[in-house]
Amino acid sequence: NAGVTQTPKFRILKIGQSMTLQCTQDMNHNYMYWYRQDPGMGLKLIYYSVGAGITDKGEVPNGYNVSRSTTEDFPLRLELAAPSQTSVYFCASGQGGSGNTIYFGEGSWLTVV
Amino acid sequence: AQKVTQAQTEISVVEKEDVTLDCVYETRDTTYYLFWYKQPPSGELVFLIRRNSFDEQNEISGRYSWNFQKSTSSFNFTITASQVVDSAVYFCALSEADTDKLIFGTGTRLQVFP
């Protein structure tokens, strides 16, 4: 069972470069999310989507963009990478509806130098 | 405003000891949901439990148990007879009724030594 799959797992970027973190889920979930995890800070929501064609900002959206052209895929794009974007990124998905469990991918470690 | 506080940054125990991880939450909603996730050294986030605000019954699953007390806004997690494999960062999280978005605490790192 694949669940939520993220790629790449590790990446080093130079300041100013751009890249896309890929996320796909095979559970037919409507809701998808991107979180970032900074050391000692827990996870913070970057963007989320409640269905194909619909996206919305979370708590820390600046410097990122997302798209949701299909139910399965929810890529996160970093434009003009900055050292402050060095973090671990988690994609997640859920059925939607109050309190439904959200399932996470394995994380993508990104370093901007 | 919603907030989750995990005051214990790091806990170290010796194998077979019992350990309790504290979680205190803040919300203005009467309907909300609480979660615990485990993040082992490999880095993935593993769902452990979900509890809704109307169910204050304690839950036990093997060596794990959860104590939900609305009167103190707490949702504490106890591991009985800890094992080295329990070493991980544990996150408590909250979501309110009108959203699926999780608000996470800062996590508690548990180290279990043999």
Side-chain angles (χ1 to χ4, degrees):
Chain A
N1 294 338
V4 179
T5 304
Q6 297 177 228
T7 57
K9 193 165 178 72
F10 301 97
R11 181 75 186 268
I12 297 175
L13 273 182
K14 293 185 178 178
I15 294 172
Q17 285 185 322
S18 300
M19 75 159 295
T20 299
L21 296 175
Q22 302 291 344
C23 176
T24 188
Q25 52 94 6
D26 62 359
M27 298 176 280
N28 202 33
H29 286 162
N30 287 321
Y31 286 48
M32 296 188 74
Y33 312 81
W34 275 105
Y35 285 86
R36 59 177 286 172
Q37 181 183 18
D38 299 320
M41 297 297 291
L43 282 78
K44 293 190 182 297
L45 183 65
I46 305 171
Y47 270 96
Y48 68 101
S49 168
V50 301
I54 306 169
T55 62
D56 208 346
K57 295 178 181 178
E59 187 180 355
V60 289
N62 292 343
Y64 306 95
N65 278 302
V66 294
S67 59
R68 185 92 183 271
S69 56
T70 66
T71 299
E72 295 79 20
D73 300 309
F74 190 42
L76 176 72
R77 182 151 180 88
L78 282 71
E79 305 282 2
L80 299 175
S84 60
Q85 293 178 303
T86 294
S87 190
V88 183
Y89 292 84
F90 287 95
C91 181
S93 73
Q95 288 281 14
S98 296
N100 270 295
T101 301
I102 296 174
Y103 297 93
F104 287 82
E106 294 189 340
S108 297
W109 274 252
L110 176 67
T111 301
V112 181
V113 296
Chain B
Q2 318 149 39
K3 186 178 179 182
V4 176
T5 301
Q6 294 180 257
Q8 303 152 308
T9 305
E10 188 162 340
I11 301 175
S12 296
V13 299
V14 177
E15 220 172 8
K16 297 183 184 176
E17 282 187 37
D18 298 346
V19 58
T20 296
L21 309 181
D22 298 333
C23 173
V24 174
Y25 62 91
E26 295 176 30
T27 178
R28 283 177 285 196
D29 272 19
T30 55
T31 302
Y32 52 90
Y33 301 84
L34 296 163
F35 301 79
W36 276 94
Y37 285 85
K38 174 183 180 179
Q39 187 176 40
S42 50
E44 72 272 24
L45 280 160
V46 179
F47 164 75
L48 294 178
I49 191 171
R50 180 189 81 164
R51 173 68 70 212
N52 75 56
S53 54
F54 296 108
D55 184 0
E56 284 195 75
Q57 212 170 16
N58 290 335
E59 174 116 0
I60 298 174
S61 176
R63 295 184 297 106
Y64 294 174
S65 62
W66 290 269
N67 180 261
F68 176 29
Q69 291 195 337
K70 288 178 76 170
S71 60
T72 56
S73 297
S74 64
F75 187 43
N76 296 337
F77 173 29
T78 297
I79 302 174
T80 302
S82 59
Q83 299 176 1
V84 173
V85 293
D86 296 326
S87 297
V89 179
Y90 291 87
F91 289 97
C92 182
L94 162 75
S95 74
E96 294 179 338
D98 61 349
T99 174
D100 277 335
K101 299 188 288 290
L102 290 173
I103 305 298
F104 283 85
T106 51
T108 297
R109 179 179 299 278
L110 173 65
Q111 294 197 72
V112 182
F113 293 99

